[in-house]
Amino acid sequence: MTPPSTPSTPEHASAVDPEIKARNLKRLRRIEGQVRGLHRMVEEDRYCPDILVQIASVREALHGVSREVMRNHLDHCVAGAEAGAAAEAMRDELLELIYRYLK
Amino acid sequence: MTPPSTPSTPEHASAVDPEIKARNLKRLRRIEGQVRGLHRMVEEDRYCPDILVQIASVREALHGVSREVMRNHLDHCVAGAEAGAAAEAMRDELLELIYRYLK
Amino acid sequence: MTPPSTPSTPEHASAVDPEIKARNLKRLRRIEGQVRGLHRMVEEDRYCPDILVQIASVREALHGVSREVMRNHLDHCVAGAEAGAAAEAMRDELLELIYRYLK
Amino acid sequence: MTPPSTPSTPEHASAVDPEIKARNLKRLRRIEGQVRGLHRMVEEDRYCPDILVQIASVREALHGVSREVMRNHLDHCVAGAEAGAAAEAMRDELLELIYRYLK
């Protein structure tokens, strides 16, 4: 039986690689700690360029998580899209992600 | 005893605007919550593009904090640099920040 | 004699949409003109921020061409990759493009 | 008496380093050639990822020119801005450049 959710805006990933998931959860915990560290730096009036470099580092770490999520997406969702309208919708969504959200 | 900080790499900002500081601390608390939200999304195997859009939103929020920190830096540090070697070092640091860390 | 191109690094696109191609050629001519305009601005010692905004505009125009090329790539190459090693290589190449070259 | 040109939107740079200028003009000529090369690649239906990497290279080269222009701007314009309203306008313009056009 097919799930009730529409294919164009599913609630959940069709499949998630457990290793990627574990790695991402670990990374996000570390990123949460980095954000708390940033809060401390601002509180202590640390030198602005040091804060800016640290912000860049957190943004880079988030980009790393995004890369893993995208890898999973390409493996399990995009690859699974059959030809036709579903594949086309998937491609448009991918382009929008790449050129609007990841640039 | 405090360490003898060199003038070229100070430990602290020469001055911090209290309003900017309060706003940044508030924003960073909210960003910390957003990162926890991301952790939850990954844990629940949410649809990959939704996670990617959310990551983009956290990165954008961090960019907003960075802009405020940079505003403070330009007001209090760069403006305060006298002509000569100090001003030149400040300019090189600023270029490095802009073209390496903020791009 | 043409060189023996390996399947993993083909010389040519497997197929190109003629409309996308015509549009891209037209855009690139316009971009060439914009770069000549930049040359003129620098020659005439125009106000630096005006030059910086114009550089941003040319970079944005190039990003637009890149988006069209990526659309073609997703339609004709990625979609055509069968499952298995070829699809995996295609996915790795795509990730590298997105996270190294398009960010 | 106030000068006839408004300080906020001058037509020309207050001063340009002749070495930076010569270097930028040379770079822009090379970038013009790179854009023509891109035109050729598209015309010959070259492999999409090769075109995307080449576009990234042109965008990076433009970013390099932008860095030199910014260096000149920081040396001659920002440094020259006296305290008060002029310095504040200069700082706002700089923030806008960094966070809207250079990111």
Side-chain angles (χ1 to χ4, degrees):
Chain A
M1 236 183 79
T2 50
S5 67
T6 61
S8 57
T9 55
E11 268 274 298
H12 293 91
S14 57
V16 180
D17 190 309
E19 259 180 73
I20 290 185
K21 182 176 175 174
R23 205 159 48 216
N24 278 342
L25 288 173
K26 213 169 141 185
R27 283 183 184 205
L28 284 166
R29 277 287 174 251
R30 198 163 46 219
I31 288 168
E32 201 191 315
Q34 283 183 296
V35 174
R36 268 196 300 273
L38 267 172
H39 194 275
R40 229 172 3 251
M41 289 179 87
V42 170
E43 207 154 45
E44 294 168 359
D45 297 334
R46 290 283 295 279
Y47 186 53
C48 303
D50 290 347
I51 298 177
L52 291 171
V53 168
Q54 185 57 19
I55 289 177
S57 153
V58 181
R59 294 184 84 232
E60 203 52 36
L62 282 164
H63 212 56
V65 176
S66 141
R67 185 183 172 124
E68 293 297 302
V69 175
M70 179 60 93
R71 176 191 298 275
N72 193 77
H73 185 55
L74 294 176
D75 277 350
H76 295 290
C77 308
V78 177
E82 316 237 330
E88 214 171 296
M90 196 59 91
R91 189 230 28 218
D92 287 348
E93 185 183 66
L94 197 51
L95 273 175
E96 179 77 0
L97 279 172
I98 297 171
Y99 285 90
R100 180 151 167 219
Y101 294 104
L102 301 183
K103 74 165 183 177
Chain B
M1 233 183 79
T2 49
S5 65
T6 61
S8 58
T9 56
E11 271 272 298
H12 294 90
S14 56
V16 179
D17 189 308
E19 260 181 71
I20 291 185
K21 182 175 175 173
R23 206 159 47 216
N24 279 342
L25 288 174
K26 212 170 142 184
R27 282 183 184 206
L28 284 166
R29 276 287 173 250
R30 199 163 44 217
I31 288 168
E32 201 191 314
Q34 283 183 296
V35 174
R36 267 197 300 273
L38 267 172
H39 195 275
R40 229 173 2 253
M41 289 179 87
V42 170
E43 206 153 47
E44 294 169 359
D45 298 334
R46 290 284 294 279
Y47 186 52
C48 303
D50 290 347
I51 299 177
L52 291 171
V53 168
Q54 186 57 18
I55 289 177
S57 153
V58 182
R59 295 184 83 231
E60 202 53 36
L62 282 164
H63 211 56
V65 175
S66 140
R67 185 183 171 124
E68 293 298 303
V69 174
M70 179 61 92
R71 176 191 297 275
N72 193 78
H73 185 54
L74 294 176
D75 277 350
H76 294 290
C77 309
V78 176
E82 317 238 328
E88 214 171 296
M90 196 58 93
R91 186 224 41 208
D92 287 347
E93 185 183 67
L94 197 52
L95 273 176
E96 179 76 0
L97 280 172
I98 298 171
Y99 285 89
R100 179 150 168 221
Y101 294 104
L102 301 183
K103 76 165 181 178
Chain C
M1 236 184 77
T2 49
S5 65
T6 61
S8 57
T9 56
E11 270 273 298
H12 294 91
S14 57
V16 180
D17 189 310
E19 260 180 70
I20 291 184
K21 182 175 174 173
R23 207 159 46 219
N24 278 344
L25 288 174
K26 211 168 141 185
R27 282 184 185 205
L28 284 167
R29 277 288 173 249
R30 200 162 45 220
I31 289 168
E32 202 192 315
Q34 283 183 297
V35 174
R36 266 197 300 271
L38 268 172
H39 194 275
R40 232 175 356 254
M41 289 178 87
V42 170
E43 207 153 46
E44 295 169 358
D45 297 335
R46 292 284 294 279
Y47 185 53
C48 303
D50 291 347
I51 298 177
L52 291 170
V53 168
Q54 185 58 19
I55 290 177
S57 154
V58 180
R59 294 184 83 232
E60 202 53 36
L62 282 165
H63 212 54
V65 175
S66 140
R67 185 183 171 124
E68 293 297 303
V69 174
M70 180 61 94
R71 176 191 297 276
N72 192 77
H73 186 55
L74 294 175
D75 278 350
H76 294 291
C77 310
V78 176
E82 317 237 329
E88 214 171 293
M90 196 58 92
R91 186 224 40 209
D92 287 348
E93 185 183 67
L94 198 52
L95 274 176
E96 179 76 0
L97 279 172
I98 298 170
Y99 285 89
R100 180 151 167 220
Y101 293 104
L102 300 184
K103 74 166 183 174
Chain D
M1 235 183 78
T2 49
S5 68
T6 62
S8 58
T9 56
E11 267 274 298
H12 293 90
S14 57
V16 180
D17 189 308
E19 260 180 71
I20 290 185
K21 181 176 175 174
R23 206 158 47 218
N24 278 344
L25 288 174
K26 213 168 140 184
R27 282 183 184 206
L28 284 167
R29 277 287 173 247
R30 200 162 45 221
I31 288 169
E32 201 192 315
Q34 283 183 297
V35 175
R36 268 196 301 271
L38 267 172
H39 194 275
R40 229 170 6 247
M41 288 179 87
V42 171
E43 206 154 44
E44 295 170 357
D45 296 335
R46 291 283 296 277
Y47 186 53
C48 303
D50 290 347
I51 299 177
L52 291 170
V53 168
Q54 185 58 18
I55 290 177
S57 153
V58 181
R59 294 183 84 232
E60 202 53 36
L62 282 164
H63 211 55
V65 174
S66 139
R67 185 183 171 123
E68 293 297 304
V69 174
M70 180 61 93
R71 176 191 298 275
N72 193 79
H73 186 54
L74 295 175
D75 277 350
H76 295 290
C77 309
V78 177
E82 317 236 329
E88 214 171 293
M90 196 59 92
R91 188 230 32 216
D92 287 347
E93 185 183 67
L94 198 51
L95 273 176
E96 178 77 359
L97 279 173
I98 297 171
Y99 284 89
R100 179 151 167 220
Y101 294 104
L102 300 184
K103 75 165 182 176

